[in-house]
Amino acid sequence: MKASVKCSNCGAEISNLNFSWGKKQWLWMIPFLAFCLLPMWRLYRPKGDYRQDLHVAVLEKRIVDSRLEILGTIQNAGKTKWENIELDAEFYGADGKFVDEASARVSSSVEPGATEHFKMEIKNPSEQIRSDSARMELKIADAYSSPF
């Protein structure tokens, strides 16, 4: 048995069927692209580079009880608001060899053009870190920018 399609008006058999859209029917995609994909692109596009925007400065390194406290500032020179900034401190001995490292998160956000103070605590630091001859390098390891 062969299936056939007949016209509902005249009853003639239809031999060629085309189920594709014409050129005008694809025009509905323009509002979809404008209103759906454009906001998604804005949401996921890169906002900036925290390594270029954020600058860290150490104001004071002090020992309180059995903790080493590092006080400093983070300055945002970029155009992006940065949050959840992770700081890494690397310590080197008097001979220049790597001794230890520590990390901390700054919970407050840093607005564009603003400066934020931070305090990093290291519990029970070794004698090599506590000495005045120890050199410390403080850098920003990670930062988050909200897409909204």
Side-chain angles (χ1 to χ4, degrees), residues 3 5 11 13 17 19 29-30 39 65 85 99-100 120 132 145:
V5 178
E13 188 174 317
L17 289 176
F19 288 103
M29 291 291 286
I30 292 173
D65 298 329
I85 300 166
V99 176
D100 200 2
M120 184 176 179
D132 292 333
S145 170

Side-chain angles (χ1 to χ4, degrees), residues 89-92 97-102 122 125-126 128-129:
E90 294 180 347
F91 297 95
Y92 298 90
K97 291 184 180 178
F98 176 77
V99 176
D100 200 2
E101 69 179 349
I122 301 170
S126 65
Q128 292 174 324
I129 294 174

Side-chain angles (χ1 to χ4, degrees), residues 18-71:
N18 187 359
F19 288 103
S20 66
W21 288 1
K23 293 179 182 177
K24 290 181 183 177
Q25 282 77 18
W26 286 103
L27 292 176
W28 72 270
M29 291 291 286
I30 292 173
F32 174 76
L33 292 173
F35 295 113
C36 296
L37 293 182
L38 185 62
M40 293 296 285
W41 177 78
R42 287 184 179 166
L43 184 67
Y44 292 108
R45 71 184 165 123
K47 303 278 188 203
D49 187 6
Y50 67 89
R51 291 168 287 212
Q52 294 176 357
D53 291 352
L54 299 176
H55 305 287
V56 64
V58 176
L59 300 176
E60 185 180 355
K61 178 179 154 184
R62 63 185 180 196
I63 297 177
V64 178
D65 298 329
S66 64
R67 299 181 323 254
L68 173 66
E69 291 182 351
I70 301 166
L71 303 173

